[in-house]
Amino acid sequence: MSDGPVVMIIGGGIGGLMLGMLFERLNLQYHIFERATELRSLGNAPNSRRRHINCSKCLTSRIISKLGSVMTVGPNILPVFEQLGLLEEVMKLSLPCPGLSIYNHKLDKLGNIMALSAKETGYDSVLFARPRLYELMKKQIPPNKISLGKKILSVKEKDDKVLISCSDGSIYEGDLLIGADGAHSAVRQNIFKTMGELGILPKEDLENFHIGYINMVGVATVDSEKYPQMNDGIAHFATVLGKDNTNWNVAKVPDNQICWALGVQLSPAEAKVQHFRNSEWGPEANETMLKEFESKPCPWGGVMKDIFDATPKNLISKVFLEEKIFKTWHHSRTVLIGDGAINAMQDAVILVNCLHDIGNEYTVENLTVAFQEYYRQRYLRSADLVKGSNTMGKIMSGQTWSERIIRHTLFNFIPNSVQAKISAKVASYRPQITWLPLIENRGTTPVLPQEKPREVLVKKAEAI
């Protein structure tokens, strides 16, 4: 390992692992600190009251990626895995996903949302159980570079270093701290506290989250003879819209597994109450939610209870979905990456690109230049994607009168060609690792040029 700056990454989720993979390739000193006492690929706890910003990049993924148990990736991030030599491994754990089907509570088909093909984008949109990707990424990180049971209590700076103090009494120092532990992270809370005391924290960052859904997710292993959908080579995905602000979903992934999700759409008043109802997050509450859905019809036959019964308890997780885009992404030696798997991975790629461009002199001045460039490249795009993702979620699973009207219009009056144009525009953004050979576009859909560092960043690197 080369002498140079030391990077501390807080959070061992997909975003934290992507950062670790990139720093590993750069031969840079880094360490990942995870609050949980074990790394679980289906959430770090059976129930999670944490936020997920759904910034996924293809039409099918607004529903799929928020589930936690299942994930889809496509041309917006697969070039990065190809650069890292991991594309073949991702394909082995995946199935191509041509799109999703949507049904009403009577299982009358409402319509389809189709994904772009490999001919159009150079990559199939593929679907897999999220734990499989997590395990693949974790294997790329040496075990001695991940510490578990590290709950961050405070973040301070001293003598050109950033120090973190943990609940077990341990203290660590480095040149750069990256918060990859979600919106309610200790890293964010600490820099917000510091900036608040300095009077430089935007007031928007103190506002409450927008909460839309409560979801329960799981991964079942089923008998392939029971469900004909399990016996071909593609990933089937179906979502059913209930008549009482509920929805439920099933998705086929490799190894005779079905990833499923249950959703309850909250009104603004219900969302406020959820902030204070911890009783809704215990084992008994989980069983109550399962019972509410167990008699619902599965779009592939039978009822949802059949799938629940084939799901190990440790592969069931309850998720409180909240959305917000923060104004503040960095301060001094600390920087944050977003939530949501694809969004977090893209953040990680752009951030490490910018750090690479300033060289290995991690002064506050140099880091600020890199952070500002990272923010410039990602903020507006992330904000647009959160907005678009929220809109797509309302169309695909919203239960209000206006949302039903919009959905009916989409499926009955909007040509498929219009959907394809929207998908092509989204698929055109695919940031890559700038310090590795770039992957050429193999599809017919145009791709946005790779972002290059601004002149100020180039001058900073040359000065170093």
Side-chain angles (χ1 to χ4, degrees), residues 8-20 31-36 39 44 50 134 145-148 150 152 177-182 185 187 337:
M8 299 185 295
I9 302 167
I10 310 302
I14 283 181
L17 293 182
M18 176 59 79
L19 287 166
H31 200 89
I32 298 173
F33 300 89
E34 168 57 46
R35 174 175 178 166
L39 287 179
N44 288 328
R50 57 185 182 150
Y134 188 89
K145 294 184 180 180
I146 302 177
S147 293
L148 304 177
K150 297 297 181 179
I152 307 302
L177 177 65
I178 304 178
D181 50 344
S185 73
V187 178
I337 69 170

Side-chain angles (χ1 to χ4, degrees), residues 48 57 74 94 137 161 199 208 214 246 335 345 380 413 424 450 452:
S48 180
K57 309 302 189 299
S94 311
M137 296 178 70
K161 296 288 183 181
N208 289 331
I214 292 178
T246 61
V335 65
M345 288 190 285
L380 290 179
F413 300 104
Q450 180 68 38
K452 296 181 180 179

Side-chain angles (χ1 to χ4, degrees), residues 280-462:
E280 294 291 328
W281 297 87
E284 292 183 1
N286 284 2
E287 290 298 325
T288 298
M289 189 168 182
L290 288 173
K291 287 186 178 299
E292 290 174 353
F293 282 86
E294 64 181 13
S295 63
K296 304 290 187 183
C298 173
W300 297 347
V303 294
M304 292 301 295
K305 185 178 187 301
D306 301 330
I307 295 177
F308 300 160
D309 290 343
T311 306
K313 296 295 184 183
N314 67 318
L315 292 183
I316 298 177
S317 181
K318 195 173 181 182
V319 186
F320 196 13
L321 296 175
E322 304 173 88
E323 292 181 332
K324 182 175 179 178
I325 184 78
F326 289 95
K327 293 284 188 181
T328 301
W329 287 26
H330 61 87
H331 176 68
S332 192
R333 293 183 174 274
T334 301
V335 65
L336 303 154
I337 69 170
D339 209 350
I342 297 177
N343 181 61
M345 288 190 285
Q346 289 185 334
D347 277 358
V349 169
I350 298 300
L351 174 60
V352 178
N353 283 347
C354 294
L355 291 170
H356 175 266
D357 288 336
I358 64 167
N360 285 343
E361 293 294 329
Y362 279 17
T363 63
V364 171
E365 180 186 14
N366 292 343
L367 288 173
T368 299
V369 172
F371 295 163
Q372 288 174 343
E373 176 64 8
Y374 158 62
Y375 185 89
R376 182 190 72 83
Q377 291 191 30
R378 289 294 294 160
Y379 179 79
L380 290 179
R381 189 167 297 278
S382 294
D384 287 343
L385 286 167
V386 169
K387 185 185 299 183
S389 176
N390 189 34
T391 299
M392 185 57 65
K394 291 179 179 178
I395 292 172
M396 295 299 100
S397 55
Q399 300 283 13
T400 67
W401 177 84
S402 61
E403 290 164 349
R404 292 174 186 269
I405 292 296
I406 293 172
R407 184 164 49 243
H408 178 78
T409 302
L410 174 66
F411 289 142
N412 292 279
F413 300 104
I414 304 298
N416 291 337
S417 59
V418 174
Q419 292 187 30
K421 287 182 180 179
I422 296 172
S423 296
K425 182 178 179 180
V426 176
S428 67
Y429 177 69
R430 48 182 80 178
Q432 296 189 43
I433 304 166
T434 54
W435 36 272
L436 290 178
L438 298 179
I439 306 300
E440 294 184 1
N441 179 23
R442 297 188 291 267
T444 58
T445 299
V447 174
L448 293 174
Q450 180 68 38
E451 287 267 14
K452 296 181 180 179
R454 291 182 300 167
E455 184 179 353
V456 64
L457 205 62
V458 173
K459 289 182 177 179
K460 179 64 64 177
E462 290 175 348

